[in-house]
């Protein structure tokens, strides 16, 4: 399998777990003490790392660390916006679009050598 596609797939899985670890407790555990939410989040985060570490190792065979980081940010925003709107019932904001456009600019600059070759 293409290492970039493998890395993207694993990073998507990682981000789903990360987003739940970081934010789901706001909806599901807001009545529990914060320490309980933190312990549950750490358990979920372990699953995140089981995808994230191999994703970065595979991706680093063909991408540099800056490219991996920007790729991660694109995936994070792609996962976070629907999560916040559909799961947490937050309002969809124009700021998400502007943030996405800024990240697309970062994608261009970090990947321009690959894009131009």
């Amino acid at each position: 399998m293409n290492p970039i596609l493998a890395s993207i797939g694993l990073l998507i899985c990682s981000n789903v777990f990360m987003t739940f670890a970081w934010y789901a407790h706001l909806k599901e555990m807001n009545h529990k003490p914060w320490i309980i939410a933190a312990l549950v989040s750490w358990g979920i985060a372990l699953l995140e790392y089981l995808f994230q570490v191999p994703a970065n190792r595979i991706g680093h065979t063909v991408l540099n660390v800056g490219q991996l980081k920007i790729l991660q940010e694109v995936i994070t925003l792609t996962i976070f916006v629907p999560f916040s709107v559909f799961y947490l019932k937050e309002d969809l904001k124009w700021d998400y679009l502007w943030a996405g456009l800024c990240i697309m600019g970062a994608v261009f600059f970090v990947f321009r050598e690959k894009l131009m070759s």
Side-chain angles (χ1 to χ4, degrees), residues 60 63-73 106-107 110-111:
H60 195 251
L63 301 171
N64 65 43
V65 175
Q67 291 168 330
L68 281 170
K69 182 60 181 168
I70 293 302
L71 182 60
Q72 172 70 30
E73 295 304 326
V107 167
V110 170
F111 285 94

Side-chain angles (χ1 to χ4, degrees), residues 37-103:
L39 292 171
V40 169
S41 292
W42 284 348
I44 297 168
L46 173 62
L47 296 172
E48 171 206 349
Y49 281 103
L50 293 175
F51 288 101
Q52 179 266 335
V53 170
N56 283 335
R57 286 180 174 229
I58 293 167
H60 195 251
T61 63
V62 292
L63 301 171
N64 65 43
V65 175
Q67 291 168 330
L68 281 170
K69 182 60 181 168
I70 293 302
L71 182 60
Q72 172 70 30
E73 295 304 326
V74 169
I75 292 168
T76 296
L77 192 58
T78 303
I79 300 291
F80 175 76
V81 171
F83 176 86
S84 67
V85 172
F86 296 114
Y87 185 79
L88 294 178
K89 307 294 186 208
E90 297 279 330
D91 292 333
L92 182 61
K93 300 183 183 217
W94 281 104
D95 291 344
Y96 295 149
L97 172 66
W98 308 137
L101 291 173
C102 289
I103 288 177

Side-chain angles (χ1 to χ4, degrees), residues 11-23:
L11 286 172
I12 289 170
C13 293
S14 167
N15 257 276
V16 169
F17 285 111
M18 178 202 70
T19 302
F20 273 92
W22 283 24
Y23 300 106

